[in-house]
Each structure stands twice: as structure tokens, then as C-alpha cells.
Amino acid sequence: MNKSKWGRGGHLMNNSKWGPIGVGVATGFLSGLFGVGGGILMVPCLVLLLGMEQRRAHGTSLGAMVLISASALGGFLLEGSVAWAPGLLIFAGASVGVTVGTSLLDRVPIRLLRVGFALLLLATAARFLAIAPDTDGHSDITVALAFAYVACGLATGLLSGTMGVGGGVIMIPALILLFGFVDPTAKGTSLLVILPTSIVGTLRNRRSGNIDPKSALTVGTSGVASAFVGALGASALSPRLSGILFAILLIVSAVQMLRHANDPSPSSEAI
């Protein structure tokens, strides 16, 4: 007997583990290579390929990212490409910003925010495509710089809370273009922030029932190895090639944001 069934909208939901495994492997590699959560790929796959309901897909994606981001972070740690103090300062701001952003969901025109954010992503992508950022590493932390990191986290959290996206596509350009991080360290530090954010969000989604624990575990476990490989490969990319590939990711993110500009706001995902 065929164990597959047709999900919402005529999409095939595969009850075997091959569908979630494929999603996990692909998303894990993306997470490791670019230092992002991977939700920009995982959520559409869960909805369109596995027939999962949209809000539940966001929660499941966030749960899977706990394992995937931990593995990817491990790869960057081995390469010494994680800035602990800046990452913790950014997380401190993000934890406040995401709480405030979530409370603004019913007060702010979400469509306007999503369109504006998509335009920002496109402008950032153009900057990466035009010329490789000239960076020589982040500076030692001063009081002013510490406040700047917290402000970066606050802005990241606000955008995450109001638009249902995670922090990777925001943090990495900010760390490279504003704070002078070299590419691998920006990615590793981004994952350092994403990991605890994913844990907190998953606990919240579990209380509200917006997660499929079995699928999250399957997808997350499947992406552990590929995330680690992607993280090791990230350090081997030239800054120019890395910038071009990341610009493509930003463009894909912007297009998806515009396509869903009128959708109700989902729970935050780690991107």
C-alpha cells in the first residue's frame, strides 16, 4: 500500500522519511555555507512538498534549526570563526527586539514592512554584487561598540518579530558592511545568535502547538552532517564568490517576501 497521501492544495505529502530527510540535508548545507538558519528554504519545502500547514511549518522549521545550527556552529568553532562577545551582545539586543516586534504584529502594517524589508535586501544584494566588501576583521570592543552590537541585535529582533523572518540575512550584511567582520566570522557569529534564538522560539511554539516534533527531529537530524560540511566549506570560499552567493540568497529572500507580502504574519523562523 502506498503510504503517501495528498496534502492541502494537491501537493504530495510523503509519509516516509525520505521527504523530510531531503529537506534536512539541503537546508543543513545552506545553513552551514551561509551562516543562516535556512528557514527561507525549509518552510516552502515543508509546505509545498510535504503539505504542512503554514504556521506549523514555521514552528517545525525553527525546531529543526536547533540541531542544524548547532552542527553548523560547531564547524565554524573548529575554524576559529566565531566572535563570542559580539555575538552575545547581539543576542542580548535581539532577545528584547523580538519580544517588542511580536507585540507590534497587530499594530504595524505588515505589508508595508515586508515590502520595505525586501527592498533593503535587494539593495544589500546589489552592494555585494557590485564589489567585494573590503574588511580586515572586527575591532576590539569598546563601550560605544558594545552599544552598537546591542542596537544591531535590537533591530534584528524587531524585524524578526514583525515580519516572521530570522536574523541571518540581517546580521551577516550588518557584521560585514558595518562592523568590518571577515566573511567566515560573520557567518559563525550569526549562528551563535541563531542557536539560542531557535531554542527559545521552539519552546514557545511547543507550548502553542505550532510544531510537529517528529518532523522537526527528522529534518534536524538529517541536516546535521551537511550543516557541518557546509560550515567547513564556507571558510574555503573566496570573499568575492561568497558575496555573490550570499547576494543570490538575499534576492531569493526578497522575492519570497514580496510574494507573501499580503499573507498573515507567521511565527518567527530562523533564517
Side-chain angles (χ1 to χ4, degrees):
M1 181 180 292
N2 189 349
K3 294 184 179 180
S4 299
K5 64 180 180 180
W6 291 94
R8 179 169 53 88
H11 300 293
L12 181 65
M13 180 187 295
N14 191 343
N15 283 342
S16 74
K17 291 186 177 181
W18 290 112
I21 287 173
V23 172
V25 171
T27 306
F29 186 75
L30 179 73
S31 177
L33 190 64
F34 292 116
V36 298
I40 198 69
L41 172 65
M42 191 184 303
V43 172
C45 286
L46 291 175
V47 173
L48 300 177
L49 300 181
L50 305 183
M52 190 174 291
E53 187 270 331
Q54 184 77 31
R55 186 176 296 274
R56 196 169 180 83
H58 281 270
T60 301
S61 169
L62 200 61
M65 287 318 306
V66 173
L67 293 174
I68 289 176
S69 61
S71 177
L73 177 60
F76 283 99
L77 285 172
L78 284 180
E79 298 289 333
S81 298
V82 177
W84 285 91
L88 294 175
L89 287 168
I90 293 170
F91 174 69
S95 62
V96 175
V98 72
T99 302
V100 176
T102 303
S103 69
L104 293 176
L105 284 177
D106 296 326
R107 306 177 188 178
V108 180
I110 300 302
R111 182 181 185 279
L112 180 62
L113 283 172
R114 284 178 172 162
V115 171
F117 182 59
L119 294 177
L120 175 62
L121 292 181
L122 292 174
T124 304
R127 170 68 178 84
F128 274 98
L129 290 173
I131 185 172
D134 184 16
T135 60
D136 55 5
H138 57 287
S139 304
D140 292 335
I141 295 180
T142 62
V143 173
L145 192 55
F147 277 108
Y149 283 132
V150 173
C152 175
L154 183 64
T156 298
L158 282 170
L159 289 170
S160 297
T162 54
M163 287 181 286
V165 299
V169 295
I170 307 167
M171 274 186 288
I172 293 174
L175 290 174
I176 293 175
L177 300 177
L178 299 180
F179 295 101
F181 276 58
V182 294
D183 183 80
T185 306
K187 294 174 180 177
T189 305
S190 170
L191 286 165
L192 178 63
V193 178
I194 288 172
L195 176 56
T197 302
S198 300
I199 294 173
V200 172
T202 297
L203 293 175
R204 183 183 63 186
N205 285 326
R206 185 176 181 183
R207 288 194 298 268
S208 62
N210 288 325
I211 184 173
D212 182 337
K214 183 178 179 180
S215 294
L217 181 61
T218 301
V219 173
T221 303
S222 303
V224 166
S226 60
F228 189 79
V229 171
L232 296 180
S235 299
L237 292 177
S238 69
R240 182 58 178 157
L241 178 58
S242 179
I244 292 173
L245 293 175
F246 192 76
I248 293 173
L249 177 65
L250 293 178
I251 293 171
V252 171
S253 302
V255 170
Q256 180 167 323
M257 187 72 66
L258 292 172
R259 286 181 60 241
H260 297 283
N262 294 317
D263 291 353
S265 300
S267 303
S268 295
E269 64 186 80
I271 294 182

